[in-house]
Amino acid sequence: GSGQMAVMAELLHRKCNAAIPHVDVGMDVFAFRDDREEIARIQVKTAPGTRYTKGMGYHAKFGVPMAQLKRTDSPPLFYALAVRLDNGWGSFIVISRAKLKELWDAGLGSENGKSRDLELYIQFRPDEEEEQDGGEEAKPEQQLKARCGKFELNEYINAWESLPPLKPLSPIDDHAD
């Protein structure tokens, strides 16, 4: 529940309404704006983050139900993977079901035979050269990079603007014929 509330807080911060459906069929949050038609359906997964003992960063393991991932993506579904870190929140991975399925088809994560979940072990670390330059005294605003095995997930870190109601509107072309 706390991850769901953290996702809702992020949406509200971006002036996007957030609602919890009363019937839970695999969607935890609806995101919408009064001035837009688009609605984002979001499944929230929360995992505790564990800090590395050597070097900066942390890792977290998420489970995404394979049955949900394999469904037809209509209507589109988004995942918000929330990392609970110490007494606050770490990074959020915001990714569409279609993209996550595409990455899984390419070898991302592993299927847990017992739980039938796609398990994602995600590492959040600074660039190696940034870590060497800053060491343990690195600036807190330092950007962490996200990896799951051989896959970089950087473009999905806090990618709230990828949600349909938060995508920038396309400018109107005044010079169209």
Side-chain angles (χ1 to χ4, degrees):
S2 64
Q4 190 172 332
M5 293 297 132
V7 166
M8 291 178 70
E10 288 292 329
L11 292 166
L12 293 171
H13 175 72
R14 288 164 173 78
K15 298 181 178 24
C16 185
N17 288 307
I20 299 172
H22 289 287
V23 178
D24 187 350
V25 291
M27 288 173 262
D28 295 322
V29 177
F30 291 115
F32 60 96
R33 290 183 49 152
D34 290 337
D35 60 340
R36 307 270 299 264
E37 289 182 20
E38 302 91 353
I39 296 174
R41 291 156 178 84
I42 304 169
Q43 174 70 51
V44 179
K45 294 295 178 186
T46 307
T50 303
R51 290 195 184 277
Y52 293 112
T53 54
K54 292 186 181 198
M56 296 184 61
Y58 52 91
H59 59 89
K61 186 169 89 173
F62 296 93
V64 175
M66 288 300 297
Q68 183 184 57
L69 184 64
K70 290 178 179 179
R71 282 191 200 125
T72 304
D73 197 41
S74 182
L77 179 70
F78 293 82
Y79 292 99
L81 308 179
V83 179
R84 181 69 184 167
L85 190 62
D86 301 329
N87 293 318
W89 294 96
S91 297
F92 293 85
I93 298 288
V94 181
I95 188 169
S96 70
R97 171 173 40 195
K99 186 61 180 180
L100 187 58
K101 185 174 183 324
E102 179 185 314
L103 291 171
W104 173 68
D105 288 342
L108 176 78
S110 60
E111 186 174 353
N112 181 317
K114 213 174 201 179
S115 68
R116 295 288 199 219
D117 283 352
L118 169 62
E119 289 187 345
L120 303 170
Y121 178 83
I122 302 177
Q123 299 178 2
F124 297 88
R125 289 189 176 266
D127 278 339
E128 287 180 28
E129 42 194 67
E130 285 178 11
E131 190 168 18
Q132 289 171 358
D133 292 343
E136 294 297 320
E137 303 300 319
K139 297 176 191 157
E141 64 269 11
Q142 181 177 28
Q143 289 294 323
L144 297 178
K145 309 294 182 189
R147 275 190 100 63
C148 183
K150 66 179 182 179
F151 295 88
E152 285 190 10
L153 302 176
N154 302 331
E155 67 185 280
Y156 308 106
I157 297 174
N158 298 319
W160 302 103
E161 284 71 27
S162 68
L163 298 173
L166 292 174
K167 281 186 179 176
L169 291 171
S170 299
I172 297 173
D173 184 7
D174 292 337
H175 304 293
D177 291 333

